[in-house]
Amino acid sequence: MQSALIGGRVTFAKAAAEIVKRAITIAIRYNCVRLVSQIPSDKKAASILDFQVQQASLLPILATTYAIHFGSIALNERYQDLIAKLSNNNQSNDNSTIGLLARIHAEAAGLKSWTTDWATAALETSRASLGGHGFAHYAGIASLLVSTWQYFLI
């Protein structure tokens, strides 16, 4: 019974990472290209991402997205190995296999819960880093937020 839920939970974690990948790419690109206005004409204009506040809000999201991406891949591989063990009748009653099932089930449940909550906050931070453009449809983040709410919360 537990094994049937694990695959879906791992899929949710992977989906959260994929959605945030798109949003953080949009936010970082925008912050690299967008220049600070009202500077003296003799100085080179700085991009918004040159400011530590922007770096401190966006770069941890980028790093966490990588961690979730590779963590969900590793968990999915362990899950596939577990399914292969459980399909083999000789090892299905082994206590270590049952213990592994419980462990992977707990990890997948925690990962799904944390990543979906984190993804919603990361999308909002990415949207806010675009300023007023974050609400615009052409920026692309608003539609990601709506799809996330529909996918994760309903």
Side-chain angles (χ1 to χ4, degrees):
M1 165 105 175
Q2 288 178 334
S3 65
L5 300 173
I6 295 172
R9 289 179 174 148
V10 173
T11 302
F12 267 95
K14 286 167 50 175
E18 291 298 321
I19 290 171
V20 174
K21 277 183 208 177
R22 286 187 228 143
I24 198 66
T25 300
I26 293 167
I28 289 175
R29 284 181 177 173
Y30 175 84
N31 280 276
C32 283
V33 173
R34 177 79 180 204
L35 301 177
V36 178
S37 60
Q38 307 223 357
I39 59 170
S41 61
D42 59 336
K43 293 186 178 181
K44 182 183 173 196
S47 73
I48 294 174
L49 196 59
D50 289 338
F51 292 95
Q52 290 179 352
V53 172
Q54 288 298 95
Q55 293 172 9
S57 65
L58 295 177
L59 297 182
I61 294 172
L62 179 64
T64 305
T65 303
Y66 273 105
I68 292 170
H69 172 78
F70 291 113
S72 62
I73 288 173
L75 186 59
N76 191 42
E77 288 172 358
R78 289 176 45 216
Y79 170 64
Q80 296 304 323
D81 292 343
L82 175 67
I83 294 300
K85 281 183 181 181
L86 289 175
S87 65
N88 184 353
N89 291 332
N90 295 336
Q91 294 181 352
S92 63
N93 294 329
D94 185 11
N95 285 337
S96 65
T97 305
I98 301 301
L100 183 61
L101 172 64
R103 181 181 170 102
I104 291 176
H105 176 74
E107 289 175 12
L111 186 67
K112 180 235 176 200
S113 174
W114 183 80
T115 55
T116 54
D117 183 53
W118 171 83
T120 304
L123 285 170
E124 180 59 28
T125 301
S126 298
R127 187 210 52 79
S129 75
L130 273 64
H133 295 281
F135 289 108
H137 179 70
Y138 60 81
I141 293 181
S143 61
L144 291 174
L145 271 167
V146 170
S147 66
T148 301
W149 292 332
Q150 291 172 346
Y151 188 67
F152 294 148
L153 301 178
I154 294 176

